[in-house]
Amino acid sequence: MHSASQINILILDDDPFILKMLTKMLANQGFTKVSTCDNGRDALTLIDHPDTRPNLIMLDLNMPDMDGIEFVRYLVEHQYQGHLVLVSGEDERMLKTAEKLVHAHQIPMLGYLHKPVTPDKLAAILNTWKPHAAENPSPTNHKLYSAEELRTAIEQHELVNYYQPKVSVRTGDVIGVETLVRWHHATDGLIFPDRFIHIAEENHLINELTTLVLTNALNQAKSWHQSGLMLRVAINVSMDNLASLDFQDLVVNLVTEAGLSPQSIVLEVTESQVMGADARVPLEILSRLRLKRFHLSIDDFGTGHSSMAQLRDIPFDELKIDQGFVHRAWADATLRAIYDASLSMAKQLDMETVAEGVEDQQDWELLRQTGCDLAQGNFVSKPLLGAEFPNWVASWKQRVRTELLLQSGN
Ligand code: G
Ligand code: G
Ligand code: MN
């Protein structure tokens, strides 16, 4: 734990009244090593000097010479190692944008304070201070895998499907699952797809990977169907899968061989990649699959390069609102506006809506009140192994009954 009197705090603000007031508030809370600057240049001089280098900077955004955003960039160049609190009279959106920039520069930030600052809010933010967390980041495994390792993993079936439920918000019924692949690595443990999907895409392994994921998902679906669980199974399809017309034959053949109907299969297409120079091939594949009654889902809606254009061009019948616009949308006007617009657009286009990243009861409540069709996220369940699914379904049904997830508010 830290002692308030040992922390060097620098306040940077062009307003002398704010400097005086914050210094006083900090002193009342036991922070006595406080220096002040009314411009960025002087502040950088303090930062360069070991004796005056602060552990924490309270930074105003709007200053006449060097503004706060520019100052943050210089902080990086001057190898500032401490934390940051933004203090500003700017509105919430501006502060959030600034916060994102600070994060992008990897400067640890305690949060932001709206002017006028009150002693309570100042105390609350300083209480979140963990001075050593940033200096000793926990070791993480950043190992990069080669195409060869991944090829072997695919051949040896080291890739394992997990399944995350999609449930009806109105009835609580379990409608389907999204297949999420993981690599059960012999020595490194569980590896998530963000560490290997791009390797597959860059090394012409994505068709092999998707074939394995789809084959396993179809076997799982068949076994669920046989035990009476009529789940719709979604798999993620990369734009690179849609580069060759063979892909549609592959999908049709595998689904037919498994004895499943296209109506029970959803293809989730992410729009995080720009469609290749020739968009005709993906369009043709997706249109033909839709004609055969496969479901097509536009994934991570709102985050990619051309969401509206894809919506216009491809006959999607499901829209997944990205988790970045779902979780806490009830508390944030910007998120809420994007969430509402996505939902409304999907409804006008007669598409089924899925909200991703539903993490708590308040998120769930928002979906219920706004009439979103399906929910997916950790509030419902984390991704599960196929074998865990029947037990989870039983416990979910119980939860729907006992936690009154379908009732109107209290
Ligand atoms: O749980 P999560 O970390 O599983 O997944 C991260 C991302 O990886 C998601 O955006 C998901 O779309 C993607 N992903 C998961 N499984 C597959 C897959 O089988 N194929 C492709 N192309 N992407 C996948
Ligand atoms: O394909 P897509 O990007 O939609 O994949 C969903 C991703 O979101 C996966 O990485 C999955 O593990 C992750 N995920 C699922 N539920 C939640 C949740 O409630 N919160 C967060 N933050 N991530 C989730
Ligand atoms: Mn997905």
Side-chain angles (χ1 to χ4, degrees):
M1 275 311 294
H2 69 282
S3 145
S5 61
Q6 286 164 354
I7 296 177
N8 258 325
I9 300 184
L10 168 66
I11 313 170
L12 172 54
D13 199 306
D14 61 307
D15 182 344
F17 173 74
I18 298 271
L19 292 179
K20 234 184 248 163
M21 191 197 56
L22 278 177
T23 305
K24 188 129 190 264
M25 278 188 200
L26 285 166
N28 287 341
Q29 300 185 20
F31 297 91
T32 47
K33 289 172 79 177
V34 174
S35 38
T36 60
C37 286
D38 64 3
N39 70 83
R41 231 169 303 279
D42 291 352
L44 290 172
T45 317
L46 290 182
I47 286 159
D48 284 340
H49 220 276
D51 297 336
T52 50
R53 190 173 293 152
N55 313 100
L56 176 69
I57 303 176
M58 307 198 61
L59 173 66
D60 182 27
L61 281 182
N62 211 334
M63 295 181 288
D65 293 332
M66 184 192 296
D67 64 51
I69 305 248
E70 190 182 2
F71 180 75
V72 168
R73 181 150 42 77
Y74 286 120
L75 277 181
V76 180
E77 287 172 16
H78 288 248
Q79 291 165 359
Y80 175 62
Q81 298 292 322
H83 287 66
L84 197 66
V85 172
L86 296 179
V87 186
S88 176
E90 298 292 329
D91 67 17
E92 186 83 10
R93 283 186 66 192
M94 189 61 225
L95 277 166
K96 285 234 165 96
T97 307
E99 187 180 20
K100 288 225 170 77
L101 267 172
V102 173
H103 278 304
H105 286 307
Q106 302 193 323
I107 295 178
M109 192 167 143
L110 297 188
Y112 50 79
L113 286 168
H114 283 282
K115 290 180 184 175
V117 177
T118 62
D120 284 358
K121 286 189 189 150
L122 181 63
I125 221 163
L126 291 174
N127 280 338
T128 65
W129 170 266
K130 295 184 203 79
H132 298 296
E135 284 123 63
N136 306 307
S138 62
T140 43
N141 167 8
H142 284 304
K143 191 171 146 192
L144 296 176
Y145 296 100
S146 68
E148 243 357 272
E149 285 171 286
L150 182 58
R151 186 193 311 280
T152 311
I154 296 170
E155 284 165 5
Q156 313 273 320
H157 291 212
E158 282 178 20
L159 301 191
V160 177
N161 286 355
Y162 281 63
Y163 301 95
Q164 190 173 39
K166 295 174 167 177
V167 302
S168 161
V169 177
R170 200 173 57 78
T171 64
D173 292 343
V174 184
I175 303 299
V177 295
E178 172 178 6
T179 308
L180 294 159
V181 67
R182 277 101 179 79
W183 181 354
H184 281 199
H185 193 285
T187 49
D188 297 346
L190 193 64
I191 313 290
F192 283 76
D194 57 340
R195 306 251 320 268
F196 60 85
I197 294 292
H198 65 98
I199 300 175
E201 287 172 343
E202 288 153 16
N203 295 280
H204 302 288
L205 291 170
I206 193 67
N207 280 337
E208 282 81 353
L209 184 148
T210 305
T211 304
L212 176 61
V213 171
L214 178 59
T215 306
N216 290 340
L218 292 171
N219 285 332
Q220 186 57 254
K222 214 159 61 174
S223 125
W224 282 330
H225 287 199
Q226 278 158 5
S227 66
L229 265 181
M230 303 311 285
L231 298 172
R232 209 194 270 171
V233 175
I235 67 156
N236 288 287
V237 170
S238 158
M239 266 296 163
D240 291 344
N241 289 130
L242 304 177
S244 150
L245 290 171
D246 300 340
F247 184 74
Q248 89 109 31
D249 297 329
L250 176 79
V251 172
V252 171
N253 290 340
L254 286 175
V255 171
T256 310
E257 278 167 31
L260 293 165
S261 79
Q263 280 102 321
S264 59
I265 307 298
V266 183
L267 303 173
E268 293 192 9
V269 184
T270 313
E271 33 126 18
S272 57
Q273 281 166 281
V274 191
M275 239 198 256
D278 188 356
R280 280 174 304 181
V281 175
L283 283 182
E284 181 174 335
I285 296 173
L286 292 173
S287 307
R288 284 167 61 196
L289 288 169
R290 184 72 197 117
L291 276 176
K292 294 193 179 348
R293 302 291 179 260
F294 285 88
H295 294 282
L296 299 182
S297 174
I298 183 163
D299 202 358
D300 304 330
F301 184 72
T303 62
H305 297 279
S306 59
S307 27
M308 304 285 180
Q310 296 212 7
L311 215 44
R312 178 194 61 201
D313 295 336
I314 300 173
F316 290 110
D317 60 330
E318 177 183 284
L319 183 146
K320 297 188 78 175
I321 306 173
D322 188 72
Q323 56 189 46
F325 309 123
V326 172
H327 178 49
R328 293 190 58 77
W330 46 271
D332 181 311
T334 306
L335 299 186
R336 180 62 191 271
I338 298 169
Y339 167 88
D340 283 343
S342 308
L343 196 66
S344 148
M345 192 149 47
K347 289 203 183 290
Q348 287 178 56
L349 296 169
D350 209 16
M351 298 165 77
E352 199 156 36
T353 50
V354 185
E356 301 182 300
V358 177
E359 290 193 11
D360 53 40
Q361 177 105 33
Q362 282 147 304
D363 294 347
W364 174 272
E365 200 50 29
L366 173 70
L367 269 51
R368 219 180 48 71
Q369 280 166 11
T370 50
C372 182
D373 299 312
L374 303 179
Q376 182 181 342
N378 294 337
F379 177 71
V380 178
S381 170
K382 66 182 198 319
L384 300 168
L385 287 166
E388 299 175 298
F389 220 79
N391 277 338
W392 174 81
V393 172
S395 68
W396 168 254
K397 283 185 179 159
Q398 180 70 15
R399 220 180 125 200
V400 168
R401 276 195 302 272
T402 55
E403 291 180 27
L404 305 173
L405 294 175
L406 315 176
Q407 298 269 313
S408 40
N410 34 25

mmCIF file of all heavy atoms in Angstrom, residues 11 42 117 189 215 245 332 347-348 368:
data_model
loop_
_atom_site.group_PDB
_atom_site.id
_atom_site.type_symbol
_atom_site.label_atom_id
_atom_site.label_comp_id
_atom_site.label_asym_id
_atom_site.label_seq_id
_atom_site.Cartn_x
_atom_site.Cartn_y
_atom_site.Cartn_z
ATOM 1 N N ILE A 11 -0.241 18.817 -10.899
ATOM 2 C CA ILE A 11 -1.493 19.305 -11.485
ATOM 3 C C ILE A 11 -1.133 20.239 -12.633
ATOM 4 O O ILE A 11 -0.365 21.185 -12.445
ATOM 5 C CB ILE A 11 -2.351 20.076 -10.461
ATOM 6 C CG1 ILE A 11 -2.435 19.300 -9.140
ATOM 7 C CG2 ILE A 11 -3.751 20.334 -11.007
ATOM 8 C CD1 ILE A 11 -3.061 20.122 -8.016
ATOM 9 N N ASP A 42 6.475 23.581 -19.106
ATOM 10 C CA ASP A 42 7.044 23.522 -17.752
ATOM 11 C C ASP A 42 6.848 22.136 -17.152
ATOM 12 O O ASP A 42 7.718 21.600 -16.471
ATOM 13 C CB ASP A 42 6.380 24.559 -16.831
ATOM 14 C CG ASP A 42 6.765 25.984 -17.221
ATOM 15 O OD1 ASP A 42 7.655 26.129 -18.096
ATOM 16 O OD2 ASP A 42 6.174 26.934 -16.664
ATOM 17 N N VAL A 117 -14.732 19.887 -9.743
ATOM 18 C CA VAL A 117 -14.323 18.702 -8.992
ATOM 19 C C VAL A 117 -14.798 18.839 -7.542
ATOM 20 O O VAL A 117 -14.695 19.911 -6.960
ATOM 21 C CB VAL A 117 -12.789 18.565 -9.040
ATOM 22 C CG1 VAL A 117 -12.327 17.379 -8.209
ATOM 23 C CG2 VAL A 117 -12.314 18.434 -10.474
ATOM 24 N N GLY A 189 -1.352 -24.918 -23.230
ATOM 25 C CA GLY A 189 -2.712 -24.837 -22.685
ATOM 26 C C GLY A 189 -3.708 -24.310 -23.698
ATOM 27 O O GLY A 189 -3.549 -24.496 -24.915
ATOM 28 N N THR A 215 -17.146 -29.486 -39.426
ATOM 29 C CA THR A 215 -17.375 -30.928 -39.272
ATOM 30 C C THR A 215 -17.685 -31.269 -37.820
ATOM 31 O O THR A 215 -18.655 -31.984 -37.517
ATOM 32 C CB THR A 215 -16.135 -31.720 -39.744
ATOM 33 O OG1 THR A 215 -15.821 -31.299 -41.069
ATOM 34 C CG2 THR A 215 -16.396 -33.214 -39.738
ATOM 35 N N LEU A 245 -15.377 -20.225 -55.006
ATOM 36 C CA LEU A 245 -16.739 -20.764 -55.108
ATOM 37 C C LEU A 245 -16.852 -22.182 -54.552
ATOM 38 O O LEU A 245 -17.944 -22.646 -54.240
ATOM 39 C CB LEU A 245 -17.209 -20.731 -56.568
ATOM 40 C CG LEU A 245 -17.482 -19.327 -57.123
ATOM 41 C CD1 LEU A 245 -17.715 -19.376 -58.622
ATOM 42 C CD2 LEU A 245 -18.664 -18.675 -56.413
ATOM 43 N N ASP A 332 -24.946 4.621 -20.848
ATOM 44 C CA ASP A 332 -24.096 5.485 -21.657
ATOM 45 C C ASP A 332 -24.875 5.918 -22.896
ATOM 46 O O ASP A 332 -25.262 5.093 -23.722
ATOM 47 C CB ASP A 332 -22.845 4.691 -22.042
ATOM 48 C CG ASP A 332 -21.858 5.491 -22.881
ATOM 49 O OD1 ASP A 332 -22.271 6.116 -23.886
ATOM 50 O OD2 ASP A 332 -20.676 5.475 -22.538
ATOM 51 N N LYS A 347 -34.649 -4.399 -37.488
ATOM 52 C CA LYS A 347 -36.084 -4.682 -37.479
ATOM 53 C C LYS A 347 -36.726 -4.224 -38.779
ATOM 54 O O LYS A 347 -37.576 -4.915 -39.344
ATOM 55 C CB LYS A 347 -36.750 -4.025 -36.277
ATOM 56 C CG LYS A 347 -36.346 -4.720 -34.982
ATOM 57 C CD LYS A 347 -37.365 -4.499 -33.875
ATOM 58 C CE LYS A 347 -36.928 -5.120 -32.558
ATOM 59 N NZ LYS A 347 -36.957 -6.586 -32.571
ATOM 60 N N GLN A 348 -36.311 -3.043 -39.251
ATOM 61 C CA GLN A 348 -36.871 -2.558 -40.513
ATOM 62 C C GLN A 348 -36.522 -3.481 -41.666
ATOM 63 O O GLN A 348 -37.253 -3.573 -42.641
ATOM 64 C CB GLN A 348 -36.350 -1.153 -40.811
ATOM 65 C CG GLN A 348 -36.976 -0.098 -39.915
ATOM 66 C CD GLN A 348 -36.407 1.276 -40.211
ATOM 67 O OE1 GLN A 348 -36.461 1.737 -41.348
ATOM 68 N NE2 GLN A 348 -35.860 1.911 -39.202
ATOM 69 N N ARG A 368 -34.579 -6.709 -22.988
ATOM 70 C CA ARG A 368 -35.973 -7.057 -22.780
ATOM 71 C C ARG A 368 -36.870 -5.853 -23.077
ATOM 72 O O ARG A 368 -37.873 -5.965 -23.775
ATOM 73 C CB ARG A 368 -36.175 -7.518 -21.336
ATOM 74 C CG ARG A 368 -37.143 -8.681 -21.172
ATOM 75 C CD ARG A 368 -37.291 -9.076 -19.729
ATOM 76 N NE ARG A 368 -37.516 -7.946 -18.857
ATOM 77 C CZ ARG A 368 -38.639 -7.245 -18.813
ATOM 78 N NH1 ARG A 368 -39.650 -7.559 -19.571
ATOM 79 N NH2 ARG A 368 -38.753 -6.210 -18.016
#
